[in-house]
Amino acid sequence: MFFDSHAHYDDRRFDVDREILLESMKQKGVSYILNAASNIATSLECINLAENYDFIYASVGVHPHDVGDISENAMGLLADLAKNPRVVAVGEIGLDYYYDHSPREVQRYWFRRQIQLAKELDLPVIIHNRDAHADSMEIVTSEDISSIGGVFHCFSGSWEMAKKLLEMGIYISIAGPITFNNAVKSIEVVKNLPIDKLLIETDCPYLTPIPHRGKRNDSTYIRYTAEKIAEIKGITVEEVAERTMENTKRLFRILD
């Protein structure tokens, strides 16, 4: 049984079959899902999903794509939403220099501000980092996220970067791209990463693993990521599932 540590079931691509799909998860080997927010509206949707499905947990936060038009009022709204007992993290927050949908200086400001909010709330952070390794590392280091904990989701950095995050107690999450033919850097990370700092995710509906690449992703495809990790580390898929389940619950302080 797997814990999908990062999904987006609020996405419109699930409108046609969301209820049927989610109701089938436990039968298909998925015990828990963390549905990650990307703005205020999706934070509300994540909470709604978590209140309707006892195996779904929620985060609240504003993705770097969406920080261009928020204000300090948004931090108050997120703080209020985070009082819901189904909310276990602030995220996904961070930097995205690939698309640059928001000015970089604005991304950096709100990344810091949301880390500060997470500290005020005593919640771990879920970090999005795309083509912004140096600035992401500078911010998480200077803001000292080790005090609250967190995860770099869909990790795309080097093993050297991962080692620095491990020194801070930060978790590394691996998604479908580990199954791609060009995953050389990620394979090195997985090979060297201590199993007690590893999470797995789908980031569905995105990042569908081989052999279903090109189709809409969902949590049932997390097995392919787990199988690849098991192959790299020379362990069983069952051990990957068990250990990543333990790690995800520990990070997000889930007791059930």
Side-chain angles (χ1 to χ4, degrees):
M1 300 293 283
F2 296 100
F3 197 138
D4 184 353
S5 68
H6 196 109
H8 297 284
Y9 282 103
D10 51 284
D11 192 279
R12 300 288 78 85
R13 274 171 278 189
F14 291 113
D15 284 354
V16 294
D17 61 351
R18 183 180 293 108
E19 184 175 342
I20 294 171
L21 182 61
L22 290 175
E23 288 179 352
S24 73
M25 283 298 161
K26 291 186 179 180
Q27 295 175 337
K28 294 180 178 178
V30 179
S31 295
Y32 299 96
I33 297 167
L34 194 152
N35 208 73
S38 56
N39 52 43
I40 299 296
T42 59
S43 294
L44 287 163
E45 292 175 16
C46 289
I47 291 172
N48 183 59
L49 281 168
E51 288 180 334
N52 283 299
Y53 296 92
D54 62 2
F55 60 94
I56 295 180
Y57 291 87
S59 69
V60 297
V62 183
H63 189 285
H65 288 346
D66 294 337
V67 295
D69 59 356
I70 65 170
S71 68
E72 188 61 28
N73 288 339
M75 298 302 100
L77 290 171
L78 292 176
D80 286 341
L81 292 174
K83 295 174 183 176
N84 189 294
R86 304 298 295 174
V87 173
V88 297
V90 171
E92 61 185 285
I93 62 176
L95 304 175
D96 194 309
Y97 291 175
Y98 180 81
Y99 285 108
D100 278 329
H101 287 333
S102 303
R104 293 185 179 185
E105 64 273 15
V106 175
Q107 292 188 46
R108 290 190 289 269
Y109 175 83
W110 288 111
F111 185 19
R112 288 186 184 277
R113 182 66 188 90
Q114 290 185 91
I115 291 174
Q116 293 161 8
L117 175 66
K119 287 183 173 182
E120 294 167 16
L121 298 170
D122 190 29
L123 288 174
V125 287
I126 301 169
I127 296 172
H128 174 102
N129 164 53
R130 188 166 186 188
D131 289 3
H133 300 326
D135 282 356
S136 292
M137 289 301 296
E138 191 281 321
I139 289 172
V140 300
T141 302
S142 62
E143 295 294 336
D144 188 23
I145 66 171
S146 61
S147 62
I148 49 172
V151 58
F152 268 60
H153 105 89
C154 190
F155 186 73
S156 60
S158 65
W159 170 235
E160 290 303 313
M161 179 179 174
K163 284 193 290 187
K164 293 176 182 176
L165 292 171
L166 292 174
E167 290 171 1
M168 300 170 64
I170 304 307
Y171 290 78
I172 303 294
S173 184
I174 301 298
I178 192 66
T179 67
F180 298 172
N181 293 330
N182 63 350
V184 177
K185 188 165 60 173
S186 296
I187 288 172
E188 181 187 12
V189 170
V190 170
K191 183 177 180 181
N192 290 289
L193 188 69
I195 190 71
D196 64 348
K197 286 297 181 182
L198 173 66
L199 306 189
I200 55 175
E201 63 171 283
T202 58
D203 198 24
C204 64
Y206 314 105
L207 303 180
T208 311
I210 292 172
H212 297 290
R213 192 174 183 183
K215 299 178 182 178
R216 184 193 71 179
N217 199 7
D218 70 59
S219 298
T220 65
Y221 292 163
I222 201 167
R223 171 169 288 276
Y224 298 105
T225 298
E227 288 173 351
K228 185 64 177 180
I229 291 170
E231 174 190 322
I232 295 167
K233 296 191 79 64
I235 59 179
T236 65
V237 174
E238 290 73 22
E239 185 173 357
V240 173
E242 180 180 353
R243 297 300 296 276
T244 56
M245 174 82 71
E246 293 171 357
N247 298 342
T248 311
K249 287 186 172 183
R250 185 187 316 118
L251 170 62
F252 297 120
R253 308 165 197 171
I254 295 170
L255 301 178
D256 60 335

